[in-house]
Amino acid sequence: KLGVDVLDQSTLIKNFLLPSFYQLEKSEQLPALAWLRDHLESARSEASGKGWNDLKEDVAKARLIQADNGQLMSLPDLYHPQHSWIKDLIGDAAIFPDMSFYKDQPMRWLEFFQATGIKEYPLPDDIVSGVRELQNKVELDGFSNEVEQRCRESQEEVRFFI
């Protein structure tokens, strides 16, 4: 009757937390993200069908996650941190959450990352980038021990994707 939206968790996340997250100091970002992690499931029960899908997509696309390259990244741009073999396969294209930032309750963070869209396996474009990176290293430095080791370590993974 007042003409205002219901102030539920879904509305808080979509209209307040996500738009203002970038203005927070780094020390304030972790508690805000922990609140999001802890309340996202209850926001799901408040939102229905398309509303939940839209909210989940908004959360996934937002640059909320402190990455190992020092930047805030969205989850679909990051790889699962327990899949370190991806770094051997695709090189610098593999960016992971900075788990030292999420050192408290790492399993809860991993569950949150998985539920909101982190990549589990390398994308074809990233594999191509990794191969090109290796080619450039060989052209510049020859077939070094580093290149040989990276090729050996990623051999099984390459077979899996071919």
Side-chain angles (χ1 to χ4, degrees), residues 48-157:
S48 60
K50 184 175 177 352
W52 165 246
N53 289 336
D54 290 346
L55 178 62
K56 187 176 175 184
E57 186 176 318
D58 289 343
V59 169
K61 286 182 177 179
R63 293 179 175 267
L64 304 173
I65 308 302
Q66 188 65 46
D68 62 3
N69 66 0
Q71 298 179 21
L72 287 176
M73 305 284 289
S74 62
L75 279 162
D77 294 329
L78 298 172
Y79 282 100
H80 194 292
Q82 291 182 329
H83 298 190
S84 58
W85 58 267
I86 293 173
K87 186 80 167 170
D88 296 327
L89 180 60
I90 65 174
D92 293 336
I95 303 171
F96 302 93
D98 179 357
M99 290 309 290
S100 68
F101 191 71
Y102 304 103
K103 64 183 178 269
D104 292 333
Q105 302 177 322
M107 294 310 295
R108 289 192 67 201
W109 286 113
L110 292 175
E111 289 169 6
F112 171 71
F113 297 158
Q114 286 177 294
T116 49
I118 198 164
K119 291 186 281 193
E120 300 266 350
Y121 301 101
L123 299 175
D125 288 346
D126 289 344
I127 294 172
V128 170
S129 294
V131 169
R132 286 190 179 132
E133 183 181 317
L134 280 176
Q135 285 176 325
N136 290 339
K137 285 183 186 256
V138 169
E139 288 174 8
L140 290 172
D141 304 329
F143 198 76
S144 65
N145 289 338
E146 175 193 351
V147 171
E148 181 179 358
Q149 179 180 355
R150 193 165 143 195
C151 288
R152 287 178 197 268
E153 290 174 354
S154 61
Q155 186 176 15
E156 281 301 312
E157 288 79 15

Side-chain angles (χ1 to χ4, degrees), residues 9-24 29 32-33 35-37 40 51-65 72 74-75 112 116:
Q9 292 176 15
S10 179
T11 304
L12 280 171
I13 293 167
K14 190 167 188 143
N15 296 344
F16 298 102
L17 180 62
L18 295 181
S20 63
F21 189 82
Y22 313 104
Q23 299 166 359
L24 297 173
Q29 289 174 348
L33 191 60
W35 184 91
L36 172 64
R37 177 200 66 200
L40 192 59
W52 165 246
N53 289 336
D54 290 346
L55 178 62
K56 187 176 175 184
E57 186 176 318
D58 289 343
V59 169
K61 286 182 177 179
R63 293 179 175 267
L64 304 173
I65 308 302
L72 287 176
S74 62
L75 279 162
F112 171 71
T116 49

